[in-house]
Amino acid sequence: MGAYFNSENDNNSILYYAIAYYRLSKDDGSRSESDSILNQRKLVRNYISSHDNIILVDEAYDDGYTGTNYDRPGFMTVMDAVNAGKVNCVIVKDLSRLGREYIETGKYLEMVFPEKGIRFIAINDDFDSDHSRSGDDIIIPVKNIMNEAYCRELSKKLRKQFKIQRSNGEFLGAFACYGYLKDPDDKHKLIIDEYAAEVVKIIFAMKLQGSSPADIAVFLNHEGILPPSEYKKSRGLNYKSGLKSAENSKWSHMTIRNILANPVYKGDLVQGKRGTPNYKLKKMRDRKTEEWVTVIQNHEPIVEACMFDLVQRMLERDTRKSPLENTVQPLAGLLFCGDCKRGMCRRSVSRNNKKFFYYVCSNNKKSNECSSHSFEQGKLEKTVLRAIQKQINLVVEIDELLGDINGSTVMIRKLQGLDLRIAEKMKEIDSYQDFRMKLYESLASEVLDRDEYDFMRQKYTGMIQTAREALENLQKEREEILKETTVDRTWIEQFIRYKNITELSREVVVTLIDKIYIFEDKRIQIKFNYSDEFALFQELLKQSEREVV
């Protein structure tokens, strides 16, 4: 089909070869029925039937596309026809169908279409570029501004609505995270996918046992377990990842790390991590952490919260393993020099064709700034094992002696300790504020000059802010304790489950120990997990003994 720009009919009037353009957006809401593609087509065809000099040669439409940008397949078809000279007229139902972005819409109406000799008709807005009237140069831009304002206000309402839904724990993602499904009865609710959930449990268990994310990925691929993207496709979901992947994708160490770090598996829902800055910009960006919406204990967890938190500590301290070993060493990442506090590293020494392993201070190995603190691995592991067994026995003994301890008693002791810390923190803040107030007096009496005054004031302002944040956290902790109705025995169960151990394993060590300090004189200081809870129960035991006496 060639260009028709100078064609005339029998009445010597110019013939217009038109393309009709229809658009329906998800944002049209309650108007979607009147703005449906079918109704737009009926309106346009009815209009053309009463205009003999307009011939409809093509139609294009976009269903489900916003009007705030022009990167739409249907509109691109319109522009292809315009640029190829196949049409000299574009017809739409109204200006909002062309677009809702004021500047871009104005560019097409005032520059692009006139430059290419295109007649533009917006039926319901009574606009025809070939029959412009006085005032159109004012009315049309105003209508475009109104269309853009409509889109802006709608965007604000939708963002507010989404935030409310996220705060209520409603899942708004297109696809549920691996291990979960959308509830068929409520698409905003997550339910466990039994098969995938078992794979997630395997991933967490292997990590606890010392396997690296890369090794876990190798194991899952060897077992023929489909990775998340392929699994979703196998269930008939039209899933597309934003990442480029091979035709037959596999588990990768990054996929494993993402699963291990996702709080959704302990029942917490975190949403709003990414989004667009405004309704005009469609490129997704990462949002600040404080803008995320988190709902704690929102749905059924796949792994226990204590296991998830433990894995996070392991990820922070992840260490390399020998290529000849399947898992990292039991004590790797938990050993620190008792003097310089740097991490300890593992070294091997060969004697008489035998290899011996030692842990030494990494600071000594790198710069000789600290002594070696050398400790033979086998002896160290036996010492740590005995310490763990002793700590377990203490926990078991305390638990048995206290029996079914009254929950209110534990709460009272916790509150007493927190109230003391809160009082000390408030006293600290008052002290900083008093000192800051006296700074001005020092400035006025010329004890301090202006630079010294500004420096000291800024310093104490920062200290006050830090102390206030710490006070706020203590007050929040106090509020959480007041909500407790039963004694939390999770930490006790973590020890009791290993009461019969006879050898050291990576799982036992990372579950029960936070850090191990090694001193030059071979002394070992072990900082166990749940030390605060242990101290609290010890105090309760002492108190109960005093009451008996």
Side-chain angles (χ1 to χ4, degrees), residues 451-500:
D451 289 341
E452 290 173 330
Y453 168 78
D454 290 340
F455 173 78
M456 295 296 290
R457 181 175 176 79
Q458 183 178 5
K459 175 184 176 181
Y460 275 91
T461 298
M463 293 169 69
I464 291 171
Q465 180 61 33
T466 301
R468 282 176 174 168
E469 290 174 358
L471 176 62
E472 184 179 343
N473 290 333
L474 288 172
Q475 290 170 334
K476 287 181 179 178
E477 187 176 344
R478 192 180 194 281
E479 292 174 2
E480 290 300 318
I481 290 174
L482 289 172
K483 294 177 184 177
E484 294 178 3
T485 57
T486 59
V487 178
D488 182 10
R489 290 175 49 85
T490 304
W491 72 276
I492 295 176
E493 293 168 357
Q494 294 299 310
F495 282 88
I496 292 178
R497 64 189 288 196
Y498 298 117
K499 67 180 181 179
N500 296 319

Side-chain angles (χ1 to χ4, degrees), residues 6 48 69 164 166 241 292 315 396 425 429 473 481 512:
N6 295 317
I48 291 175
N69 72 70
I164 292 173
R166 292 186 181 114
S241 170
W292 299 357
L315 290 174
V396 172
K425 191 60 65 176
I429 293 172
N473 290 333
I481 290 174
L512 303 184

Side-chain angles (χ1 to χ4, degrees), residues 209-400:
Q209 293 162 7
S211 297
S212 69
D215 286 335
I216 297 173
V218 169
F219 170 79
L220 295 177
N221 287 325
H222 181 267
E223 293 297 313
I225 298 174
L226 293 176
S229 58
E230 295 301 319
Y231 178 70
K232 290 174 183 178
K233 291 176 183 177
S234 73
R235 294 183 60 87
L237 300 176
N238 186 24
Y239 178 79
K240 292 182 180 179
S241 170
L243 301 174
K244 293 182 179 179
S245 58
E247 186 172 332
N248 295 317
S249 61
K250 296 183 177 180
W251 289 92
S252 69
H253 75 283
M254 281 305 301
T255 304
I256 301 298
R257 287 191 70 90
N258 289 338
I259 288 176
L260 291 171
N262 194 339
V264 72
Y265 298 113
K266 66 171 180 175
D268 298 348
L269 185 61
V270 182
Q271 299 186 100
K273 288 185 175 182
R274 306 184 76 236
T276 57
N278 55 56
Y279 72 98
K280 289 187 178 182
L281 302 177
K282 301 305 175 185
K283 186 176 181 179
M284 300 289 283
R285 297 180 181 177
D286 292 332
R287 290 184 174 138
K288 297 178 181 178
T289 306
E290 55 267 26
E291 295 178 1
W292 299 357
V293 179
T294 302
V295 180
I296 306 298
Q297 297 179 354
N298 179 73
H299 49 268
E300 185 179 354
I302 292 177
V303 298
E304 295 179 354
C306 58
M307 175 186 282
F308 180 85
D309 295 338
L310 180 58
V311 166
Q312 304 320 297
R313 291 203 299 271
M314 293 179 68
L315 290 174
E316 291 174 3
R317 299 180 183 178
D318 225 347
T319 57
R320 295 181 181 178
K321 66 175 182 63
S322 167
L324 301 177
E325 298 168 340
N326 293 324
T327 61
V328 298
Q329 291 297 315
L331 302 179
L334 283 81
L335 297 174
F336 298 87
C337 174
D339 295 309
C340 71
K341 309 305 179 186
R342 297 287 185 87
M344 304 284 286
C345 60
R346 185 169 174 253
R347 296 180 62 183
S348 63
V349 176
S350 296
R351 297 191 195 121
N352 300 323
N353 295 325
K354 289 184 179 181
K355 187 172 286 190
F356 300 87
F357 294 94
Y358 293 82
Y359 283 103
V360 297
C361 175
S362 60
N363 203 19
N364 172 257
K365 182 180 179 182
K366 292 179 180 178
S367 61
N368 292 320
E369 292 179 3
C370 186
S371 57
S372 68
H373 292 63
S374 176
F375 210 121
E376 199 271 319
Q377 179 181 348
K379 292 181 180 179
L380 179 60
E381 291 181 354
K382 288 179 181 178
T383 304
V384 172
L385 175 60
R386 288 196 296 269
I388 290 176
Q389 291 170 332
K390 182 178 179 180
Q391 186 75 359
I392 291 173
N393 290 335
L394 285 173
V395 172
V396 172
E397 181 181 351
I398 291 175
D399 184 50
E400 291 175 349

Side-chain angles (χ1 to χ4, degrees), residues 29-48:
S30 60
R31 298 179 54 198
S32 60
E33 182 62 30
S34 62
D35 280 336
S36 69
I37 301 296
L38 179 61
N39 284 334
Q40 291 180 58
R41 179 182 283 115
K42 288 179 179 178
L43 180 71
V44 170
R45 290 189 173 185
N46 184 59
Y47 177 87
I48 291 175

Side-chain angles (χ1 to χ4, degrees), residues 155-213:
S155 175
K156 289 180 180 178
K157 291 178 181 178
L158 288 174
R159 285 171 185 264
K160 185 176 181 180
Q161 177 62 31
F162 290 155
K163 188 171 184 179
I164 292 173
Q165 288 182 273
R166 292 186 181 114
S167 299
N168 290 335
E170 296 184 33
F171 180 74
L172 300 183
F175 300 95
C177 299
Y178 182 77
Y180 287 96
L181 300 170
K182 287 185 179 182
D183 190 335
D185 299 324
D186 183 355
K187 65 179 182 180
H188 298 306
K189 181 180 178 182
L190 294 178
I191 58 174
I192 288 180
D193 177 349
E194 296 298 338
Y195 171 81
E198 287 303 314
V199 178
V200 171
K201 290 177 182 178
I202 290 172
I203 291 172
F204 275 85
M206 290 185 67
K207 181 58 189 171
L208 275 182
Q209 293 162 7
S211 297
S212 69

